Amino acid sequence: MSIRSKRKEEHLALAQMFFDKNKINSFDQMHLLRPTLPESIVDRNSISTTMFNKTVAAPFFINAMTGGSGKSKQINRALAHIAQKYNIAMALGSASILEKEPDQLPSFFIARENNPEGIIIANVNPLTSSEATAKIVKEIQADALQIHLNVVQEAAMPEGDRNFKWLDKIIEIRQAVDVPIIIKEVGFGFDDASIKLLQKNDFSLIDIAGSGGTNFAQIENSRNNHDVSFLEDLGLPTVVSALMAEKTDIDFIVSGGVRNPLDVIKGLALGAKYVGVSNFFLQTYLENGETGLSETINNWINDIALLMAVYGAKSIPDLQKVKRYYDLNLKNKLDQLL
């Protein structure tokens, strides 16, 4: 196993080790005002939406996790089966490894093989060459491309990059590919200045990926030969980052600590076009297998349709009309930052 593949498998093991299903995050400090008389009917079709010119059954999707090793190939096969079964989108983990190790392509292409008509989203880091990225998108037959921005993770990683001048690089990548681009954080949240900088450079879709879920500084600190745990608290809470994005006219995805259907509803109420879920689905799969995750996904689709009716929303955009309120701790952050 190569050093890069070994790191992929280490990340999977550490994500499992640090996973805490009872972890509190900013979704718990945000509340939606429920109408006692919603005058609604539960309709599973009410949560269907369009994503990259394809119709999907739900506004949540399997977000970027893995690829580039033997174990990740097995995981991507199972995730693709489930995505195909329920017609939801799936993003792959970083495929930048393919620039140096093209023989790892099957661990990514397995998703397209098992979901030939569905939405598959490729993922690379911003330092992947534009030529290699274009090849990756073509080989994976991706419908869209995530370019992930992971400064804090790289800072915590013992072998991490130390050059964070990425804007020109992601512009080069955009010019080389012919699919939609998503600029994605990895669990530390987008700030408003960076959102505006991306808008100024004509990027139109971001994934805020706020703090509250997987903490890659924590994961990398456990791999480091000296303590960098001070990096673990640098993230913006998901709800705060979403509200920063909401104040602009950029389209955005909410992810980072999504654990249940109500979190999805809250993300949509914040204005997200879609909601991404990573580690919760991964750990459900690792604990209960493909059958267990398949049952969970089906339940989520039913429960999100149920919650739509509970809040009186006939369509996904209606959720943005639902009144919100916040616990004092979160409201204090919002008052200072927005």
Side-chain angles (χ1 to χ4, degrees):
M1 184 185 300
S2 72
I3 293 174
R4 297 178 188 87
S5 291
K6 182 180 178 182
R7 184 169 68 218
K8 298 274 190 178
E9 304 231 333
E10 285 178 348
H11 284 167
L12 288 170
L14 291 167
Q16 185 174 21
M17 183 175 76
F18 289 124
F19 178 67
D20 177 6
K21 64 181 179 181
N22 297 314
K23 183 178 180 180
I24 301 298
N25 66 34
S26 58
F27 285 117
D28 300 306
Q29 300 175 325
M30 171 188 171
H31 310 280
L32 301 176
L33 184 63
R34 178 189 63 83
T36 302
L37 191 63
E39 292 294 289
S40 57
I41 298 173
V42 178
D43 179 8
R44 187 168 165 134
N45 292 325
S46 68
I47 67 170
S48 177
T49 189
T50 300
M51 192 174 189
F52 307 125
N53 298 316
K54 294 181 180 180
T55 299
V56 288
F60 70 89
F61 67 100
I62 300 169
N63 214 345
M65 283 186 271
T66 195
S69 70
K71 185 173 183 178
S72 65
K73 182 179 179 182
Q74 297 172 11
I75 292 170
N76 281 338
R77 179 191 289 114
L79 296 178
H81 275 153
I82 294 168
Q84 190 276 333
K85 181 177 181 179
Y86 294 106
N87 187 25
I88 60 173
M90 173 184 173
L92 294 159
S94 176
S96 296
I97 189 174
L98 297 179
E99 187 168 19
K100 300 289 179 63
E101 299 183 34
D103 58 314
Q104 293 292 345
L105 177 62
S107 69
F108 297 95
F109 188 69
I110 192 75
R112 179 53 80 195
E113 286 182 324
N114 286 275
N115 190 5
E117 302 299 327
I119 294 174
I120 301 293
I121 303 169
N123 181 303
V124 296
N125 70 47
L127 295 180
T128 308
S129 72
S130 58
E131 295 83 1
T133 300
K135 184 178 180 182
I136 287 166
V137 168
K138 182 178 180 180
E139 289 179 330
I140 294 175
Q141 299 174 23
D143 296 278
L145 172 68
Q146 293 175 335
I147 305 174
H148 67 260
L149 309 182
N150 62 336
V151 171
V152 179
Q153 181 187 8
E154 295 289 348
M157 191 185 301
E159 68 273 56
D161 293 319
R162 293 297 182 265
N163 176 2
F164 306 134
K165 295 179 71 67
W166 291 346
L167 182 57
D168 288 345
K169 298 289 186 180
I170 64 176
I171 291 172
E172 288 177 11
I173 290 173
R174 181 180 61 191
Q175 293 169 341
V177 301
D178 58 0
V179 296
I181 299 289
I182 306 165
I183 307 298
K184 182 187 187 308
E185 241 288 351
V186 297
F188 296 91
F190 257 105
D191 64 293
D192 50 0
S194 296
I195 294 171
K196 291 172 183 175
L197 180 59
L198 287 171
Q199 281 190 294
K200 182 180 177 181
N201 285 275
D202 298 321
F203 290 95
S204 59
L205 180 59
I206 64 171
D207 183 340
I208 63 165
S211 67
T214 305
N215 188 322
F216 277 98
Q218 182 184 42
I219 286 174
E220 299 299 353
N221 182 50
S222 69
R223 301 178 60 247
N224 214 315
N225 58 12
H226 75 284
D227 180 25
V228 291
S229 59
F230 54 85
L231 296 171
E232 295 175 16
D233 295 326
L234 297 189
L236 269 177
T238 298
V239 171
V240 176
S241 188
L243 287 166
M244 287 181 171
E246 187 188 34
K247 285 186 172 295
T248 72
D249 57 0
I250 200 167
D251 287 334
F252 64 95
I253 295 164
V254 162
S255 68
V258 177
R259 309 147 300 179
N260 56 58
L262 183 56
D263 288 347
V264 175
I265 290 291
K266 289 178 179 179
L268 296 171
L270 287 165
K273 285 183 71 68
Y274 318 108
V275 175
V277 189
S278 297
N279 205 19
F280 183 87
F281 286 166
L282 174 62
Q283 301 313 318
T284 300
Y285 166 74
L286 293 175
E287 184 175 346
N288 301 306
E290 186 174 333
T291 300
L293 179 56
S294 180
E295 181 179 344
T296 295
I297 297 286
N298 185 52
N299 288 341
W300 276 42
I301 292 173
N302 289 330
D303 291 344
I304 290 167
L306 175 65
L307 284 167
M308 288 275 289
V310 166
Y311 284 103
K314 296 179 177 61
S315 66
I316 291 170
D318 285 346
L319 288 169
Q320 295 176 49
K321 303 173 187 176
V322 177
K323 290 184 178 180
R324 321 166 204 151
Y325 58 100
Y326 310 100
D327 291 349
L328 287 177
N329 180 268
L330 179 57
K331 186 176 185 303
N332 182 44
K333 290 184 174 71
L334 298 176
D335 289 343
Q336 293 183 66
L337 292 172
L338 297 182

